[in-house]
Each structure stands twice: as C-alpha cells, then as structure tokens.
Amino acid sequence: MKRAPVYEYLLITGIGVAALLIPWLLPNFITQFTFLWVMVVFALTWDLLGGQMGYNSFGNVLFFGIGAYACAVVQRDSGLDYFTALALGLLCAALLSTAVSALLGAGVLGMRGHYFAICTLGLGVAAGEIAGGWEYLGAGSGMVTPQYPGGIGERDLFYYFLSLTITGTGFFTLRRLYQSRFGIAINAIRDDEDKAEAMGLHTTRYKTVAWCVAAFFLALTGGAVGNLIGFIDPRDVAFSGATFGVWMILMAILGGKGTIWGPVLGAAVFHLTQELFWNFLFGWQRVALGALIVLIVVFFPQGILGWVREAWPERFGQCVDTDRQGGEETR
C-alpha cells in the first residue's frame, strides 16, 4: 500500500485538532459546522460512485432518507431510553439502507450512462412520494423525532460530535478502500468497464459493494440529521433531490471528483458560500446559488484540485519533461 506523504498527515492532524476545538472556539456556529460534516459525507459518498467508479448517481439521497426514517421509527417504537434507542436506530438504519442498496444494485447497476442516472433519479422521487403517502411515517405531514433529553446546547454539541465521528469514519474507510485492490477495481470500471470485464473482473459485484458502502454512511448521516433538525419531511428533508441530491454532486465536482480530498474541499467551499448567500443575500440566495452552480460547471469542470494539478503537476507526483527540440511537455 502506498504510503501517504508527510503533508497529508499534517493536514489530517490539523483538521482533526481544529474540529475538536471548534465547539469551544466558535460555539455560536456549531450547527453550521455540524452541517459541514454532513456535506462532506454527501460529497464523499457520491464521489465513490460518480468520481472513482464513473457512475453518476442522482439517487443517493434515497439512502439518506431511508436512514432518517428508519432511525426515527426505531426510536419512536422501541420503548427504550433516548440514547439506546438512537444507537439501535442508527444501526437499523445503516443495515436497512445497505440491504436496499444491495437488492437494487443487482438490477440498477447493470445499466450504464444516462440510463443509470435517470433510473437513480426516479428512485429518489418515488421514495419521496411513497413516504409522503404512508401514514405510518406521518405521510405528507412529516414525522417528529424524539426530543433530546437535555438542553439545546447539549443537543447541538452531541450531534456535532456524532456527525464528526461519522464523517471521520467514512473518510478513513474510503481512503483505505481507494488504496486497496478495491480502489484499483472501481477505477478500472471507470476507465473501461468492458475491458475490466474481459479481464475477469466481476464489475457488478464491485459496483454493488461501492453502492452499499455509500448507503451505509448516508444512512448514519440521515439518522443524525433527522434528530438534529427534529422533524423529517418526506420531500424537503429525507428525499430532497432538489437540494441534498444535487448538492452532493456539485460539491464533489467543485473540489475535484475522483480524489479523496476533492469532495472534502468542495464541501467546505460550497457550504461556506451557501451560508454567506443565506446571510447576506436574503431573498436572492437561490439566484446566487444557481449562478454558483453555473460557474462550477462552466469554469471548474475538472474541479479545484484538478485545476491545481494541471497548474502544478510536479507537486502531485507527475513528472514534467520538456523536449528540448520540439518543446513539447510529457507527463
């Protein structure tokens, strides 16, 4: 396994120390930082398919919504104390989402290109309509999650660290997977799936496993967010393809898809920009956000890290030689 450079360890350490100190250094912004970790999970899990494997999914929000509802239902119906019910709810949410992704993967991941993208988009929309008509889940009125047994400040602090834990676990899990045979396999699927199959790679199996990993962490995040907000709406929170479903794609593209740090950077930039829009452009925030989306697609199709990599390739381990006769660059 390739050893990470020293600066990456320093970066991870710096982010970790800052994350632990934020609740005390910036206590008034703890909810915003909690959602930053949520955004990082969104971007990382989408990039697992869209960046590393080349399958652009518009339906990953399905697993976020399943996790939110599954966790809340277990908490509501188990009769256990708050924290025990929450732990059990998160476990059930993760297992249920993983099982659903495994069942869907066998059929849906057999599609390619725009057929796969459209199918996954339909899954998210269909799930929102089903939840909106299911009385057991509160139907269109939504579902209220159990009340946290403590003050608002204690609740915010608890879910900050819970979200941070989920994000950190997801980051290091994906980082390890990308450095293993699994990472090589899904990159081969992205580069040329037909050749990968011809060489004996069970592509559907790898694609399904990747979707299951994404579903697992999205479900945990869904359970945490549902409790943090205190209310689960089927279309505006749980299965919100127009917001969460689109944002996870934009964040991965903005930072640089197909990398481990690109989604993290994209999530940080996007979330900060969005918060600034909501605070200083009230009434025009959606217009500004739409303009930002256009700018991302037009000027950063390769992402921030992709642009930096092209500008300074030698800093990313790419050898740049100049042919003295022809003056051509070879990388």
Side-chain angles (χ1 to χ4, degrees), residues 84-104:
T84 304
L86 176 62
L88 181 61
L90 290 174
L91 176 61
C92 292
L95 293 177
L96 179 60
S97 284
T98 303
V100 170
S101 64
L103 291 173
L104 292 175

Side-chain angles (χ1 to χ4, degrees), residues 103-308:
L103 291 173
L104 292 175
V108 175
L109 289 168
M111 303 178 184
R112 299 187 187 182
H114 58 276
Y115 296 105
F116 172 78
I118 293 172
C119 182
T120 55
L121 177 62
L123 289 174
V125 174
E129 293 301 318
I130 291 172
W134 194 353
E135 291 294 338
Y136 183 68
L137 301 179
S141 300
M143 183 176 179
V144 178
T145 58
Q147 186 175 1
Y148 184 85
I152 295 178
E154 294 178 10
R155 184 201 65 180
D156 291 346
L157 188 63
F158 174 81
Y159 282 105
Y160 172 85
F161 281 109
L162 177 59
S163 299
L164 176 61
T165 301
I166 295 170
T167 304
T169 305
F171 175 85
F172 286 109
T173 300
L174 294 178
R175 183 170 176 269
R176 184 63 181 266
L177 285 175
Y178 296 159
Q179 295 173 340
S180 67
R181 174 183 170 84
F182 179 84
I184 297 173
I186 60 176
N187 288 163
I189 293 171
R190 176 192 62 195
D191 296 337
D192 195 319
E193 187 169 350
D194 291 328
K195 287 184 179 179
E197 287 182 345
M199 294 178 66
L201 193 69
H202 298 285
T203 57
T204 302
R205 184 184 303 169
Y206 279 101
K207 289 185 291 185
T208 303
V209 171
W211 217 18
C212 288
V213 173
F216 181 87
F217 287 105
L218 282 170
L220 292 176
T221 304
V225 169
N227 278 275
L228 176 62
I229 297 176
F231 178 77
I232 303 173
D233 183 272
R235 299 179 184 88
D236 293 335
V237 176
F239 304 105
S240 181
T243 53
F244 294 155
V246 173
W247 293 351
M248 61 179 67
I249 302 172
L250 290 174
M251 291 184 292
I253 294 175
L254 174 60
K257 65 179 185 177
T259 65
I260 187 64
W261 285 106
V264 178
L265 176 61
V269 173
F270 181 85
H271 185 61
L272 174 62
T273 306
Q274 181 184 229
E275 288 295 324
L276 291 175
F277 287 166
W278 253 250
N279 280 277
F280 298 104
L281 296 176
F282 186 74
W284 291 88
Q285 67 271 20
R286 295 193 181 277
V287 175
L289 190 60
L292 175 64
I293 293 172
V294 173
L295 290 174
I296 291 172
V297 174
V298 174
F299 295 103
F300 288 97
Q302 78 276 39
I304 296 173
L305 284 187
W307 177 78
V308 172

Side-chain angles (χ1 to χ4, degrees), residues 301-324:
Q302 78 276 39
I304 296 173
L305 284 187
W307 177 78
V308 172
R309 186 174 286 164
E310 287 185 358
W312 297 283
E314 66 280 359
R315 295 184 179 274
F316 290 86
Q318 300 182 34
C319 180
V320 180
D321 297 324
T322 302
D323 187 344
R324 294 182 179 180

